[in-house]
Amino acid sequence: MKENNSGTVVVIGAGIAGLASAYYLVRDGWKVKILEKNRGDNNCSYGNAGMIVPSHFTPLAAPGMVAQGIKWMFNRKSPFYVRPSLNPRLMSWGLKFLKHANRAHVDKHACAIRDLNLYSSGLYNALAAEDDFDFELKQNGILMMYKSSEVQHEEIELAHHAQELGLDVDILNGNEVQELEPNLKLDILGAVLYRCDGKIYPPKLMQQLIGYLKMKGVEFHMETEVNKFTVAGNTIKAAISNRGSFEADAFVLTGGAYLPQLAAKLDINIPLMPGKGYSFMYDPMVENNMNHAALLLEARVAVTPMNGQIRFSGTMELGPANDKIYENRVKGIVEAIPKYYPELKVDYPKDNIWYGYRPCSPDGLPYLGGLKRYGNAVVAGGGGMMGLSLGPAYGKIVSDLLSRRPIESDIIGFKPDRFDG
Ligand SMILES: Cc1cc2nc3c(=O)[nH]c(=O)nc-3n(C[C@H](O)[C@H](O)[C@H](O)COP(=O)(O)OP(=O)(O)OC[C@H]3O[C@@H](n4cnc5c(N)ncnc54)[C@H](O)[C@@H]3O)c2cc1C
């Protein structure tokens, strides 16, 4: 690999991980080529809830998730679902998940996840301050709202843990939350306000990143699917695609939920399961009445004011990707809304449903760092429910690693080949 950043980097995937990597790489002087198998205008980084979440310091693999998941499997409208299947990939992923769903695992990694998210949130602030960017960044916190005393108990316990970790968090009763949202009637017991969290409008961020990168000379090769690599010893020489071969000094592997297939071309095992989620935009002219993004905890529904509208999103269907929209799951989201916001009457959004696949690792941790076997490749992905939030941190760390600079966040637990061999 060239030492003076004058070399070429091929970035595979034009989601937030790929675009953010390209952003920092091009600023560091690299010549960047992005290879994207689709058109790169509707991947998981577009339709998500747009939340920046230092609050999500608990990995998905956490105590209680297994029991909760089994309970929810028997409810067709539940927000979490694992389709029962003998698919060997799903079974192997599930066994790894079970192994990690314990308190020791959560405690071991909470600080590193918190720090990576806070680091990324700071990088979002810096990006939003630039002239070329305005993606509706608002760092005024997210309300974790609950209706039941059972969830209240769990959430307050988590809030205390967050406070011990130094996060800016307030526990509020129903009236206090209503004071924060004076223009929108709420029917809740209370909420925890994670002041450390924020939100953006993801499509605007993605479009502005693409515009900026093109302006800086980054080459975009769309409908270009990488299906092979040429290697020599421990160096990747070229990515081979349906549109020819791309040689480079260094390679960045992203790929979202398809990262395992990409890594398999290098004979490396990076386990991920797609976690399908849905979202839709609602245009009630109340966006200006809603001050805060929120999570409706019992229903696991995310509510984000953006682009003059509100985006509702939710469900986590774990299993191999398929293009089916399961109406009952979307109905689960729709029916939850008036239970928390009694004045919001939302119809089933028939022609307006987006879905995407969260890239979920079995231990709930991202994959970020170099590969043992190939010295000129870096992986960024596996962010699951926080992949958008982590975008700038992915990008900055990818560029620091390839530019041989010290990195500013602890990524030791996130090694991309930790399950390999
Ligand atoms: C309903 C929902 C709500 C969410 N809400 C949030 C949230 O509020 N906050 C948050 O932080 N995260 C959220 N997420 C998760 C977040 O959207 C993802 O973690 C993130 O977008 C993943 O980004 P990525 O770049 O890794 O993958 P993607 O955005 O999926 O991009 C990967 C790209 O790689 C391309 N690709 C794959 N294989 C190849 C190949 N072989 N050759 C070339 N190209 C390839 C794909 O076509 C794709 O365009 C949510 C997700 C969902 C579904």
Side-chain angles (χ1 to χ4, degrees):
M1 197 186 340
K2 299 204 174 153
E3 298 286 321
N4 61 0
N5 298 358
S6 60
T8 299
V9 185
V10 157
V11 174
I12 305 167
I16 186 61
L19 297 187
S21 298
Y23 171 84
Y24 290 101
L25 285 164
V26 81
R27 286 164 68 103
D28 276 344
W30 295 90
K31 179 169 171 32
V32 181
K33 297 180 184 183
I34 297 183
L35 313 185
E36 163 57 51
K37 73 173 175 174
N38 294 319
R39 293 159 62 93
D41 56 0
N42 196 24
N43 50 39
C44 196
S45 303
Y46 282 78
N48 60 68
M51 294 178 168
I52 299 169
V53 285
S55 56
H56 286 32
F57 56 85
T58 308
L60 180 63
M65 268 316 282
V66 176
Q68 182 65 279
I70 292 170
K71 210 163 86 189
W72 272 336
M73 270 174 79
F74 298 100
N75 175 355
R76 284 179 305 146
K77 292 184 181 171
S78 70
F80 183 80
Y81 186 68
V82 185
R83 192 163 297 283
S85 156
L86 293 176
N87 177 300
R89 266 187 63 216
L90 181 59
M91 285 176 46
S92 157
W93 186 96
L95 288 173
K96 291 185 179 72
F97 182 89
L98 286 175
K99 196 173 151 208
H100 290 94
N102 59 62
R103 173 58 49 203
H105 174 68
V106 169
D107 290 345
K108 184 171 172 201
H109 296 285
C111 288
I113 300 178
R114 171 204 62 191
D115 290 347
L116 195 63
N117 266 302
L118 287 172
Y119 180 53
S120 209
S121 177
L123 293 170
Y124 265 124
N125 290 341
L127 189 64
E130 283 183 30
D131 287 345
D132 297 302
F133 291 94
D134 173 13
F135 43 88
E136 300 184 18
L137 174 69
K138 207 167 172 190
Q139 296 276 24
N140 68 337
I142 294 179
L143 285 163
M144 311 290 175
M145 305 206 287
Y146 39 79
K147 292 177 69 70
S148 68
S149 46
E150 192 190 343
V151 173
Q152 177 188 39
H153 176 76
E154 287 166 13
E155 199 51 28
I156 290 179
E157 204 174 301
L158 197 63
H160 287 144
H161 190 187
Q163 284 166 335
E164 282 161 23
L165 288 175
L167 293 174
D168 188 358
V169 172
D170 271 346
I171 299 163
L172 307 172
N173 64 33
N175 291 336
E176 288 166 327
V177 184
Q178 190 65 78
E179 277 171 31
L180 291 178
E181 293 291 355
N183 304 317
L184 209 53
K185 190 167 162 36
L186 298 173
D187 182 6
I188 57 169
L189 193 56
V192 173
L193 174 62
Y194 280 83
R195 292 188 193 282
C196 51
D197 286 0
K199 62 108 199 163
I200 63 166
Y201 179 40
K204 230 175 172 179
L205 169 72
M206 297 296 285
Q207 283 152 9
Q208 289 172 0
L209 275 170
I210 291 172
Y212 175 91
L213 294 173
K214 284 186 173 164
M215 192 175 76
K216 294 287 172 191
V218 170
E219 277 178 31
F220 280 82
H221 298 265
M222 297 307 194
E223 297 176 336
T224 303
E225 177 168 5
V226 174
N227 45 41
K228 221 170 132 183
F229 292 92
T230 16
V231 300
N234 70 348
T235 304
I236 301 177
K237 291 289 182 189
I240 316 293
S241 79
N242 56 324
R243 292 185 186 245
S245 164
F246 293 83
E247 290 182 9
D249 300 292
F251 294 80
V252 180
L253 276 60
T254 73
Y258 302 93
L259 175 59
Q261 289 82 345
L262 193 57
K265 310 290 180 204
L266 290 166
D267 215 12
I268 293 173
N269 176 28
I270 301 187
L272 274 182
M273 200 41 66
K276 193 203 260 176
Y278 302 97
S279 76
F280 56 89
M281 300 300 284
Y282 173 63
D283 197 0
M285 306 301 288
V286 300
E287 189 258 357
N288 290 336
N289 294 342
M290 188 181 275
N291 294 332
H292 293 86
L295 278 172
L296 316 182
L297 288 181
E298 287 84 359
R300 296 286 203 278
V301 168
V303 185
T304 322
M306 55 172 83
N307 193 37
Q309 301 169 300
I310 297 175
R311 176 172 286 175
F312 293 104
S313 50
T315 83
M316 171 75 99
E317 288 169 20
L318 276 167
N322 66 54
D323 289 341
K324 248 178 122 170
I325 291 177
Y326 292 96
E327 284 193 10
N328 279 323
R329 308 265 158 225
V330 183
K331 280 185 188 153
I333 301 176
V334 171
E335 289 168 14
I337 299 162
K339 294 182 184 158
Y340 295 76
Y341 301 99
E343 289 170 350
L344 289 192
K345 305 283 182 245
V346 179
D347 293 328
Y348 182 81
K350 215 168 58 215
D351 305 317
N352 180 20
I353 301 167
W354 174 91
Y355 61 87
Y357 300 102
R358 301 173 186 89
C360 299
S361 63
D363 57 4
L365 306 176
Y367 293 115
L368 182 57
L371 288 170
K372 264 190 304 224
R373 256 187 274 164
Y374 298 101
N376 66 336
V378 176
V379 173
M385 301 183 297
M386 52 187 174
L388 178 85
S389 187
L390 293 179
Y394 283 158
K396 178 76 169 65
I397 288 171
V398 162
S399 191
D400 286 346
L401 287 169
L402 291 179
S403 305
R404 307 265 187 240
R405 262 198 313 265
I407 51 170
E408 294 162 341
S409 199
D410 170 15
I411 55 165
I412 286 171
F414 307 149
K415 287 193 178 101
D417 35 21
R418 60 185 178 270
F419 290 107
D420 191 56

